[in-house]
């Protein structure tokens, strides 16, 4: 109960301090907040290795996989992980991948795919996402 009250008080206090920012002219500021972290990620990404699983299963590059695993797990025995990924690679080689067109014309999943597409189109056209955002934004002003 006390934790809930503390969170509630903290939330109300932060809403009160941020209330002057809840005006229409500040929308560009709110929408551009993601630019900073995105830029930092784009600058740092070249120094991080690819996923070892991706390197082994998709690219079939064992040497790069070992290098990436050594980078991620500096003092671990990586041989067991490599063997596990190779077993997964062997099991996936027998599975047929479907193209988008094959998925759309496949009778066994047609209704599921159609349901997902119709629901997503309905959500986009109805504006329910925009209403949810507006309710969160303007709800604190009411």
């Amino acid at each position: 109960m006390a934790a809930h009250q503390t969170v509630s008080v903290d939330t109300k206090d932060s809403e009160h301090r941020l209330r002057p920012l809840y005006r229409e002219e500040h929308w560009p500021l709110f929408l551009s907040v993601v630019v900073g972290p995105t830029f930092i990620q784009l600058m740092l990404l070249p120094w991080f290795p690819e996923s070892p699983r991706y390197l082994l299963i998709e690219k079939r590059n064992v040497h790069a996989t070992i290098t990436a695993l050594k980078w991620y797990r500096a003092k671990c025995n990586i041989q067991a992980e490599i063997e596990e990924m190779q077993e997964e690679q062997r099991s996936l080689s027998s599975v047929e991948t479907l193209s988008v067109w094959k998925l759309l014309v496949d009778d066994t999943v047609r209704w599921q795919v159609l349901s997902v597409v119709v629901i997503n189109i309905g959500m986009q056209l109805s504006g329910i996402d925009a209403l949810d955002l507006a309710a969160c934004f303007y709800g604190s002003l009411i």
Side-chain angles (χ1 to χ4, degrees):
M1 180 75 176
H4 174 68
Q5 289 174 344
T6 304
V7 170
S8 177
V9 168
D10 289 345
T11 304
K12 293 286 185 192
D13 189 39
S14 65
E15 283 180 15
H16 180 69
R17 280 184 276 145
L18 293 174
R19 192 172 297 263
L21 295 175
Y22 292 163
R23 291 196 302 259
E24 188 176 345
E25 62 266 11
H26 292 108
W27 269 100
L29 173 69
F30 285 128
L31 293 176
S32 64
V33 166
V34 298
V35 171
T38 303
F39 183 72
I40 291 170
Q41 181 182 6
L42 284 174
M43 292 295 108
L44 294 177
L45 206 55
W47 286 280
F48 289 95
E50 289 283 351
S51 161
R53 229 175 251 300
Y54 170 77
L55 289 170
L56 184 67
I57 295 173
E58 297 295 325
K59 295 289 189 174
R60 301 184 188 282
N61 190 342
V62 178
H63 178 69
T65 302
I66 292 170
T67 305
L69 277 172
K70 284 181 181 177
W71 191 87
Y72 283 125
R73 300 184 190 10
K75 297 180 180 178
C76 267
N77 181 11
I78 59 172
Q79 190 57 38
E81 273 189 79
I82 291 175
E83 290 172 3
E84 178 187 334
M85 285 188 275
Q86 286 174 334
E87 179 63 35
E88 183 180 350
Q89 182 184 24
R90 284 189 290 276
S91 69
L92 286 175
S93 65
S94 64
V95 175
E96 179 191 356
T97 57
L98 292 177
S99 67
V100 175
W101 180 252
K102 284 183 182 178
L103 185 66
L104 291 174
V105 296
D106 187 1
D107 290 338
T108 59
V109 294
R110 179 175 294 144
W111 286 109
Q112 289 89 343
V113 172
L114 185 62
S115 298
V116 169
V117 168
V118 167
I119 289 170
N120 281 314
I121 289 173
M123 286 180 66
Q124 291 295 320
L125 295 178
S126 71
I128 193 73
D129 293 333
L131 289 175
D132 188 35
L133 178 64
C136 291
F137 181 73
Y138 291 114
S140 61
L141 296 177
I142 298 174

